Amino acid sequence: MPNPTTTDPASKAAVLAEALPYLRPYAGQTVLVKYGGHAMGNGDNGDPFARDIVLLKQVGINPIVVHGGGPQIGQMLQRLGIKSNFVNGLRVTDRETMEVVEMVLAGTVNKQLVAAINAAGSSAVGLSGKDGGLIRARKLTRNGELGFVGEPERIEVAVLTALRQSDIIPVIAPVGIGADGETYNINADTVAGAIAAAVTAKRFLLLTDVPGVLDGEKRLIPELTAAEARRLIADGTISGGMIPKVETCLEAIEGGAEGAVILDGRVPHAILLELFTEGAGTLIRGS
């Protein structure tokens, strides 16, 4: 994307005019952005990510941000001398670890992103799933004994509706609350997909550290239907860590989201490239 400080005024106007057809479908719509893992840290306090989120708000889109923080949790646990154990890629979370997880996700990481968005010119509020009962969770049991690891059971959409009506951008940490008040660590992709479905998002953008879904020749696949994505999982084209990401997208679409995109969050302005140009990742649609 051209540098606005070096592009002449006529070129700037042309860029804006070219973006108009891409802007129209998103006017007044909700876009759920999952930000985390290796996609994080592109600049001080979330920049340029924060500026892109503010831009979405300013052109009439309703952004919701769900973030992760696995690397930051790992660093803090290491500093505190607490050993991390994983089962099937999920962090085993005992009570002591859960306290650190909540401190890092709902505290440090969440507030850094909120501060960055506010500094970029919008109004953001940080939430965990415990605030307003936003994410009602249950213990995750299908992957063995993981301690306080959960999965979303219900999303309290009224909390997000109230923030939207107040013109506030929600920034959500993936920590949920159980029926008996237990605190659960939840995979951020899973939380993002569940919220995207609950709010019937126009787009669910899953920012990661790869360009998107690749074919057998390692070329980016720009678009897939849900049926095509399932076929690529079955034949092994989609494999490894990409499988749960694609499955999260499929669950979001089945739950009500119009489309989901897996894209490389390390690319500057990846969100704007995806929404306001011909696309930057792999779009998965229901049909």
Side-chain angles (χ1 to χ4, degrees):
M1 188 169 287
N3 186 334
T5 62
T6 59
T7 304
D8 65 89
S11 296
K12 290 179 183 178
V15 169
L16 292 172
E18 289 171 4
L20 182 59
Y22 298 100
L23 284 166
R24 284 198 187 106
Y26 296 103
Q29 299 294 318
T30 295
V31 171
L32 191 294
V33 182
K34 189 273 174 174
Y35 182 55
H38 296 289
M40 275 185 166
N42 290 338
D44 294 336
N45 290 330
D47 258 343
F49 174 83
R51 294 198 302 272
D52 291 350
I53 294 296
V54 170
L55 178 59
L56 297 188
K57 191 69 172 178
Q58 291 176 341
V59 298
I61 295 170
N62 173 45
I64 298 174
V65 178
V66 174
H67 66 82
Q72 293 89 336
I73 291 169
Q75 291 165 12
M76 181 59 71
L77 289 171
Q78 188 174 24
R79 285 174 57 188
L80 297 174
I82 301 172
K83 185 178 180 181
S84 293
N85 295 308
F86 293 85
V87 175
N88 296 325
L90 297 173
R91 188 187 304 275
V92 177
T93 307
D94 59 17
R95 195 171 297 278
E96 182 182 30
T97 302
M98 187 65 240
E99 290 178 1
V100 176
V101 167
E102 186 172 14
M103 175 180 68
V104 172
L105 290 179
T108 306
V109 175
N110 187 270
K111 302 316 173 192
Q112 284 176 347
L113 280 174
V114 168
I117 292 170
N118 288 341
S122 199
S123 180
V125 167
L127 304 166
S128 80
K130 296 168 74 172
D131 295 306
L134 175 60
I135 306 170
R136 302 288 182 174
R138 58 176 172 252
K139 184 180 178 69
L140 183 65
T141 58
R142 62 178 178 272
N143 285 295
E145 180 50 53
L146 297 168
F148 292 94
V149 174
E151 59 184 347
E153 187 170 37
R154 181 168 62 86
I155 305 298
E156 189 56 65
V157 177
V159 175
L160 301 174
T161 301
L163 292 174
R164 179 174 184 172
Q165 291 170 345
S166 300
D167 212 28
I168 293 171
I169 299 171
V171 180
I172 303 167
V175 174
I177 187 164
D180 296 324
E182 311 95 330
T183 302
Y184 286 109
N185 177 23
I186 310 176
N187 177 273
D189 288 358
T190 304
V191 167
I195 295 176
V199 301
T200 60
K202 178 76 172 180
R203 283 291 182 272
F204 165 33
L205 305 183
L206 202 165
L207 274 59
T208 184
D209 59 348
V210 294
V213 179
L214 307 180
D215 65 16
E217 303 297 323
K218 304 302 179 184
R219 296 170 299 196
L220 179 68
I221 302 174
E223 188 168 338
L224 290 167
T225 65
E228 288 169 341
R230 291 190 181 93
R231 187 172 67 249
L232 292 179
I233 292 174
D235 70 16
T237 302
I238 296 174
S239 61
M242 185 56 70
I243 292 175
K245 294 186 182 300
V246 172
E247 288 178 338
T248 294
C249 291
L250 293 173
E251 289 170 5
I253 293 165
E254 290 168 357
E258 183 176 308
V261 184
I262 299 172
L263 68 161
D264 193 341
R266 301 168 301 177
V267 174
H269 306 297
I271 296 170
L272 306 186
L273 290 169
E274 173 57 39
L275 297 179
F276 304 149
T277 71
E278 295 180 355
T282 300
L283 169 63
I284 303 175
R285 297 181 182 272
S287 58

